[in-house]
Structure formats: C-alpha cells, structure tokens
Amino acid sequence: MGRPEKRVSILKSQGFGYMDKKWKKICGCLLGIYALCAVVFCLLAHEHINYAETGEQGIATVAEARTEALTEEHYALQNFTVVNDRINEVSLRLTTFGYPTRSGSDVYVELVVPKTGEILARATCEVQNLTDEAWRSFRLGVDVDAYKGQELALKVYTDAQAGREENQIGLLCQNGDAPGAGTLTVGGQAGPTALNFTVSGADISGGAVRYYIGFGIGFALLFLYCAGQLAAGKKGRQTLGLKFAGTVERYWFLLDQLIARDFKTKYKRSVLGVFWSFLNPLLMMLIQYAVFVNLFKFRVDNYAVYLLTGIVLFNGMSDTTTQAMSSITGNASLITKVYVPKYIYPVSKVFSTSINLLLSMIPLLIVALITGLVPHWSWLLIPYDLVCQIMFMIGVAFILSSLMVFFRDMQFLWGVFTTAWMYATPIMYSMDILPEFLKQFERVNPMYYYITFMRTIIIDGMAPSPRQFLACALFAGVTLLVGSVVFRRTQDKFVLYI
C-alpha cells in the first residue's frame, strides 16, 4: 500500500513530472497560447480562408492605342463591372512613350465608387527602369461583395512632372467596346476606348468553417493531453512530456548560462559589440543592392526590403547552424566530466545565435518604414515565422553536431553547401527569372518558404496563404523530429570520439 506514495516521492525528488500548481499554470499557458494563435490566424488570414480565388478577369487586353501622359491632375478613370465578392489585384499595361523611365516615378491606382467618390482601396507601384508596354500589378485586397454586379471605377495617376519626356507614363487601351468595361475618362474627357487591365478576384467560399472546426479539435486534443499529464503526475507515473518538463526545469540555469556565455563571447573585445547585429545586414544589403539594381537591373518592387529580408533570414540560419555544428566537440571537457543532457549544448548555441537574428529584425523593420511601407496587422505573424525557423535550425543543429563528432570535415563541407544554397534561394533575385526546373527545387527549399512568408507579411502587408503556414510548420516539425532521432541514436558514442 505504501509503494505508490513512495514512488511519487521519489519522482518528485528527481524532478520528474509531479504536476503541482506550477505545471497546471504551464498547461494553462499552453492552452491560452494555442487559442490566441488560432484567433490571430483566423483574423489575419481572413482573405484566404473565407474566399476562393476565381482567376483573372481580362478586360480590353488588346493594345490598340495609348492615353496621354498621366499626372496627378491629368488622371485616367476607367469604369468596370464587378463580378467578384473581392478584388485582390489589378494589373495595368503601362507605356513610357518610347522613353525609359529614370527618376523612379510612382503610379497610383485607386478603386473608387463613381457615384459618391468614396475610395475603397489604394495601391502604388514604383516604375523606375520600366520597359515600354509592360504589365504592372497593384495589390488592392478589398471586399466588394456589396457592389457585385454594379460599376466601380479605377482611378490611375502618377507623380510625374509634366514636360519631362523621360518621366512620362501612360496607359495602353483597346478601341471600341470591351465586355465588362464601362466609360474611360482621361483628363476629364471621355473616349470610345477601354484600358488594358485584368482583375484578379475571389468569391466567398465559406471555407472558414473547416478551419474553425480544425482549431476546435486541436484545442480539445491539447486539453486532453494536458489533463492526461496532470493525472499521470498525481499518480506518480513518468511520461515523456513530464520527463521533458522536469529536465527543462532542472537544467534551465545551465541553459541560461550557456546562452549568456556564447552571446558574450561572440562580441568579446569588439569595439561596436552588439551593434554589429544591426550593422552587418545593412552593409550587406547596401553592397548587394548597388550591384544587383544598377548592374543587373533587377525590377522588384521595394527591392531594399525584399533583399534585406532574404539576407537577415538566410544569414541567421547559416550563422546559427555553422556555430551549432561544433557545440558538442567544443564542449568536450564538460561532456566528459559532468553529466548533462547532451542536447542542451546545440540547443543553447541555437538560442544564443538566434538573439542576433532577432536583433537583425530591427533594422529590417526600420528600412521597411523608411521606404514607405505602412505597419499592418499582418506584422503580428512575424513571431510565427521566426519560431518555425528556429525549430528548423534546432533540427539541423542536431544533425550537424552529431556528424561533426565523427566527421570533422563537415565544417568545411557545410560552408560550401550553404554558399550553393544561398545562390539557389531567391534572395537577391526574383523567382520569376528562374528556369522551370529550378522553380521545382524551391518547393523543397525550406528557406524559400521562410523568406517568402516574411516578405508577404512585411512587403505585401497581408497574411500568407494557409499552404505557406503549413509548409513553414512542416519543415520545422519534420527537421526537428529527424534531427532528434539522429542525435539520440548517436549521443552515446560521443565520448568515444571527442
């Protein structure tokens, strides 16, 4: 009769799983965080989970004429019939009248209610180095179900100065009537033409119910799991979750000290110290921006933020995994003398290096604000992307640190591999310039998804698609699982080789 109580006492003294009030609070926090993340996702991904894309509606796509040069006062107003519940994007065909633009004029598009003049949405596009008769897309992202079947108007104007030929921008048109297009007015005068443009729309699908049900089932499963852990703790049973929680509690102080040591060592005797976390990505961006914009003439909207996003995330991954690779061999003296769960060493190295990644996000957001990007609710999703990438890096760190013990040349091979990986990832260039076989590679490239996710929420100011959410989580989860298995199966042999 006394054995269960004795077992509980022993487990409690060993730090395993006796679920007191502290563990109840942890379970409550887990449930609260899950519920908060579910609510934030449903609010920010409103467009993707409530609407189904219907493709492009082409209106007057044949180029037969061109408007006069546009300015802020001399604008074009094109009426068209709304056929969707939501307008995601509008593409217009621009003309420079044979003169390449040089000064980086902007084109502005507004979606207007003709009767009242109310502006439903506004978008802008920088057209520096624009080629003649090129298509340009403008992200609107506005619900128009109240106007379905009615006419709305696109107002298009530029900030170009009249009288300067290299800055003039106009629009291509199709003569005669065009299905779906109403009156076109340029400079206050109506004409028998219609602008060349396409509308990407979506209709209400009701698909959000599936996500609500899925999140509800997930919450119920998490609740049952936490309840099971609490019941196991009271009965003195040891479970994997309780063992992990007890291990974290027991070695938290050591983990904290290792993280602090690694972070301080990185900037020891450095004049600028932590400031290098801000300065390094900015200097890299300036160099690559000058090369790729002026030499190769890449045409990517808001290229400075586009480039810096790729640099910050990829360099964070490369630096973290490179340093974590030597986390076991570098701590050989501790491993052979004191018993500590060996996974703490690569985990602490990832966490300490991830501090630099978090600090590097500050100049990225500052550059985004300087270049005219407006903070959006989608920016609340930044932690999701970073957490997924950190989990992915921990999995890679487990694999690399294990291989490094048995194969020391791994440090040189990894440097070559990450260089090739960097050039294979759309960091400096757009995905559009890749041949088809390389585009297929990006489907299995984790960093492509993490970088694209961050660009979508910062540059586009919208929540990524559910597929992007899932891809980021799957790469993180699978890599962490594989890395944990590799590390666990090899860790007992570490002492024989270090």
Side-chain angles (χ1 to χ4, degrees):
M1 296 293 293
R3 288 183 179 179
E5 291 78 5
K6 185 177 181 180
R7 186 180 180 190
V8 170
S9 177
I10 293 174
L11 289 173
K12 187 174 180 180
S13 65
Q14 291 177 348
F16 303 133
Y18 184 80
M19 300 300 276
D20 54 10
K21 294 182 179 179
K22 181 185 296 183
W23 302 126
K24 291 181 180 179
K25 290 181 180 178
I26 292 176
C27 291
C29 288
L30 286 176
L31 292 170
I33 292 173
Y34 177 89
L36 177 62
C37 290
V39 171
V40 170
F41 172 83
C42 291
L43 291 176
L44 297 182
H46 165 79
E47 172 187 339
H48 298 289
I49 66 177
N50 287 281
Y51 292 89
E53 294 187 3
T54 58
E56 287 188 346
Q57 174 194 6
I59 301 176
T61 56
V62 180
E64 297 177 326
R66 63 182 68 186
T67 67
E68 302 170 7
L70 301 179
T71 62
E72 190 168 354
E73 294 78 20
H74 194 82
Y75 57 84
L77 194 67
Q78 172 70 68
N79 286 26
F80 70 100
T81 303
V82 177
V83 299
N84 294 114
D85 296 318
R86 181 179 177 85
I87 294 178
N88 293 327
E89 192 174 74
V90 171
S91 297
L92 294 163
R93 200 171 183 185
L94 310 181
T95 176
T96 61
F97 305 98
Y99 297 94
T101 54
R102 300 174 185 172
S103 63
S105 300
D106 291 336
V107 175
Y108 299 86
V109 170
E110 295 176 353
L111 185 63
V112 182
V113 180
K115 295 181 180 179
T116 63
E118 178 187 0
I119 300 175
L120 300 179
R122 179 186 287 112
T124 183
C125 177
E126 184 180 350
V127 291
Q128 187 174 10
N129 300 319
L130 175 71
T131 55
D132 197 22
E133 301 186 1
W135 287 90
R136 280 299 171 97
S137 298
F138 299 82
R139 180 75 193 178
L140 296 177
V142 58
D143 298 340
V144 291
D145 54 297
Y147 302 95
K148 192 172 183 178
Q150 304 177 30
E151 278 198 347
L152 291 178
L154 283 180
K155 180 180 178 181
V156 188
Y157 58 95
T158 75
D159 58 4
Q161 298 179 7
R164 296 183 61 182
E165 293 180 333
E166 69 273 14
N167 283 335
Q168 299 308 298
I169 298 171
L171 302 169
L172 294 182
C173 309
Q174 178 178 320
N175 294 326
D177 295 332
T183 307
L184 170 63
T185 304
V186 181
Q189 297 183 354
T193 58
L195 295 181
N196 288 171
F197 74 104
T198 62
V199 179
S200 298
D203 288 333
I204 296 175
S205 65
V209 176
R210 296 194 298 269
Y211 289 92
Y212 301 150
I213 294 175
F215 282 126
I217 293 174
F219 184 86
L221 291 175
L222 182 60
F223 177 82
L224 291 175
Y225 177 80
C226 290
Q229 298 301 301
L230 287 168
K234 290 179 180 180
K235 294 179 180 179
R237 294 201 311 265
Q238 179 184 346
T239 65
L240 183 62
L242 298 177
K243 183 178 179 180
F244 175 78
T247 302
V248 171
E249 182 186 30
R250 180 185 299 181
Y251 295 104
W252 180 256
F253 177 77
L254 175 62
L255 184 64
D256 179 64
Q257 292 299 309
L258 289 174
I259 293 173
R261 182 201 66 179
D262 293 337
F263 185 73
K264 293 176 181 178
T265 303
K266 181 178 177 66
Y267 297 107
K268 188 176 182 180
R269 298 181 181 178
S270 172
V271 176
L272 295 179
V274 181
F275 187 67
W276 274 112
S277 297
F278 299 87
L279 192 59
N280 184 59
L282 288 176
L283 292 177
M284 292 293 294
M285 183 208 70
L286 290 174
I287 294 171
Q288 295 184 2
Y289 183 87
V291 172
F292 290 102
V293 168
N294 296 318
L295 184 59
F296 295 105
K297 304 296 184 183
F298 283 154
R299 300 182 182 94
V300 177
D301 293 334
N302 210 321
Y303 185 64
V305 179
Y306 181 92
L307 177 61
L308 188 56
T309 303
I311 292 174
V312 166
L313 294 186
F314 194 90
N315 284 1
M317 183 280 300
S318 178
D319 186 36
T320 298
T321 53
T322 300
Q323 293 198 38
M325 189 183 339
S326 59
S327 58
I328 298 298
T329 56
N331 288 287
S333 58
L334 288 175
I335 293 174
T336 55
K337 295 178 181 178
V338 182
Y339 172 76
V340 174
K342 298 178 182 64
Y343 62 80
I344 284 183
Y345 297 107
V347 169
S348 67
K349 186 68 72 171
V350 171
F351 284 165
S352 64
T353 316
S354 295
I355 295 175
N356 296 318
L357 174 60
L358 298 178
L359 293 175
S360 298
M361 290 298 301
I362 297 176
L364 170 59
L365 296 179
I366 292 175
V367 171
L369 295 174
I370 292 175
T371 55
L373 293 177
V374 179
H376 190 268
W377 287 110
S378 62
W379 288 21
L380 293 175
L381 295 173
I382 291 176
Y384 176 87
D385 190 42
L386 294 177
V387 168
C388 286
Q389 182 169 337
I390 290 173
M391 289 174 60
F392 168 75
M393 292 188 300
I394 292 175
V396 175
F398 281 154
I399 297 173
L400 292 177
S401 59
S402 300
L403 293 176
M404 182 68 172
V405 173
F406 308 102
F407 189 55
R408 301 302 171 92
D409 289 344
M410 195 63 205
Q411 57 186 322
F412 308 112
L413 294 175
W414 184 247
V416 175
F417 180 79
T418 52
T419 301
W421 192 0
M422 178 186 69
Y423 286 112
T425 304
I427 297 175
M428 296 81 68
Y429 53 84
S430 170
M431 181 80 165
D432 299 334
I433 72 171
L434 291 177
E436 193 61 32
F437 76 94
L438 284 179
K439 289 182 179 179
Q440 300 301 319
F441 167 77
E442 301 304 337
R443 295 183 179 180
V444 293
N445 181 0
M447 290 311 300
Y448 166 74
Y449 289 99
Y450 295 130
I451 293 172
T452 301
F453 191 100
M454 190 68 72
R455 285 170 175 165
T456 300
I457 59 182
I458 293 180
I459 299 178
D460 297 336
M462 58 179 290
S465 66
R467 182 177 298 180
Q468 288 178 283
F469 277 92
L470 183 61
C472 291
L474 279 179
F475 276 111
V478 171
T479 306
L480 182 59
L481 178 62
V482 172
S484 300
V485 171
V486 171
F487 192 88
R488 186 172 183 178
R489 290 188 176 183
T490 57
Q491 63 178 345
D492 292 338
K493 300 178 182 179
F494 288 170
V495 292
L496 303 176
Y497 292 89
I498 58 177

